[in-house]
Amino acid sequence: MRSPGRPPPRREVERAFWVQIADGLTSEDAAVAVGVSAPVGTRWFRHAGGMPPLDLAPAAGRYLCFAEREEIALLHVQNVGVREIARRLGRDPGTVSRELRRNAATRAGEVEYRASVAQWKAESAAKRPKQAKLVTNTALRDYVQQRLEGSVSLPDGTVAQGPDAPRWKGRNKPHREDRQWVTGWSPEQISHRLKVDFPDDGAMRISHEAIYQSLFIQGRGALKRELVTCLRTGRALRKPRRRSRNKPQGHVTDDVVISERPVKPRVL
């Protein structure tokens, strides 16, 4: 994550600003009332079109607030343990441990936990909508696509063989030996192989669930749609069954699609 420089005002301050606007104050007066400059208030009001871009209800307490992050920073400097910090805050030790690990500031190569930087990181990570990781990371997207379609090349140009597929026994689905997934890698194999090929690069990581989402969910479609034919389940190759023409209209058979079956009248 990039350096925040000077962290912007917290969401609590922005929420208080819009509460003042709802009470009838001008943007300049509302900004001064919450402790920011008048130009900042004018910019918030103009960019949001005069409507609050966030919920004005107070936070429910599910997530750490800025006051709790300040307390974590003070206790952490005093070398207080994670479990003791969690006990004093009334939080789970895992919550405090993840907070110190994920939202710490990196300065001059050293990791320091600062409440203001941690709040900025938490708010940046909570913003929606987000771009999929395969959209922003070109190297990771190319790596995943090559292995899904089974066209992996070594640095010298030779084609690398994909994982050995289990021998087809001729059951369930025919002609599997002609499908692309015989030489392609599965999303789970790709996810595990990334840790082997890039042990020191944390950016080259993705779960197999995220790969499936990029293939099947159109809004997250960072991968080519035709790569679904490389999956081993054959999900994208299924064809819907059609209505039988040799049966009467009201008769339900095995080859009738559920959505096309007649509605059974209710008996009152």
Side-chain angles (χ1 to χ4, degrees):
M1 183 176 289
R2 65 179 179 86
S3 174
R6 180 183 179 183
R10 303 185 303 275
R11 292 182 67 86
E12 290 86 353
V13 177
E14 189 174 355
R15 183 179 289 107
F17 167 80
W18 286 105
V19 170
Q20 297 291 334
I21 293 292
D23 291 340
L25 273 68
T26 64
S27 59
E28 293 83 358
D29 295 339
V32 174
V34 299
V36 297
S37 63
V40 171
T42 304
R43 184 170 66 251
W44 284 352
F45 191 88
R46 183 176 67 252
H47 288 179
M51 298 299 294
L54 71 169
D55 189 6
L56 299 184
R62 177 183 176 184
Y63 304 102
L64 292 173
C65 63
F66 182 71
E68 290 177 314
R69 288 189 167 95
E70 284 186 325
E71 189 69 16
I72 291 175
L74 293 174
L75 295 175
H76 184 62
V77 170
Q78 299 173 10
N79 295 324
V80 179
V82 171
R83 292 187 177 275
E84 179 62 21
I85 296 176
R87 187 187 65 81
R88 296 186 186 183
L89 295 179
R91 294 282 187 173
D92 187 85
T95 301
V96 179
S97 178
R98 285 191 298 271
E99 175 68 18
L100 292 171
R101 183 177 66 255
R102 293 178 180 178
N103 295 333
T106 55
R107 191 170 185 176
E110 298 181 358
V111 178
E112 298 179 357
Y113 184 83
R114 298 176 181 271
S116 58
V117 178
Q119 185 73 18
W120 173 84
K121 285 189 174 184
E123 292 178 356
S124 299
K127 289 181 179 179
R128 297 294 186 276
K130 284 185 176 182
Q131 281 189 316
K133 192 173 184 179
L134 291 175
V135 174
T136 58
N137 194 331
T138 306
L140 180 61
R141 181 175 68 249
D142 294 341
Y143 182 96
V144 173
Q145 287 188 160
Q146 289 178 0
R147 278 149 185 79
L148 279 176
E149 61 189 5
S151 59
V152 183
S153 301
L154 299 177
D156 57 0
T158 59
V159 178
Q161 297 295 329
D164 295 332
R167 186 175 63 86
W168 181 60
K169 299 180 180 179
R171 300 175 181 176
N172 190 14
K173 298 176 182 179
H175 309 299
R176 281 198 167 189
E177 69 276 10
D178 298 330
R179 294 182 179 177
Q180 298 181 33
W181 64 260
V182 175
T183 56
W185 295 36
S186 70
E188 190 169 1
Q189 288 172 322
I190 296 173
S191 177
H192 291 307
R193 185 65 188 184
L194 281 167
K195 301 176 184 178
V196 179
D197 293 344
F198 305 95
D200 301 326
D201 190 355
M204 296 295 288
R205 297 286 187 274
I206 191 170
S207 65
H208 62 280
E209 292 92 345
I211 298 177
Y212 280 117
Q213 288 179 358
S214 296
L215 288 172
F216 289 107
I217 301 178
Q218 186 176 4
R220 301 180 64 86
L223 299 175
K224 295 183 293 185
R225 185 67 177 176
E226 56 269 21
L227 289 177
V228 295
T229 60
C230 303
L231 298 179
R232 304 182 180 188
T233 59
R235 171 180 172 181
L237 305 178
R238 296 175 183 172
K239 296 181 179 179
R241 293 176 294 183
R242 298 301 179 186
R243 183 189 301 275
S244 175
R245 296 181 179 179
N246 299 327
K247 297 295 182 179
Q249 184 71 16
H251 185 74
V252 178
T253 60
D254 294 337
D255 56 352
V256 176
V257 182
I258 294 178
S259 61
E260 298 180 3
R261 293 182 182 180
V263 179
K264 183 178 180 180
R266 297 180 60 185
V267 179
L268 300 178

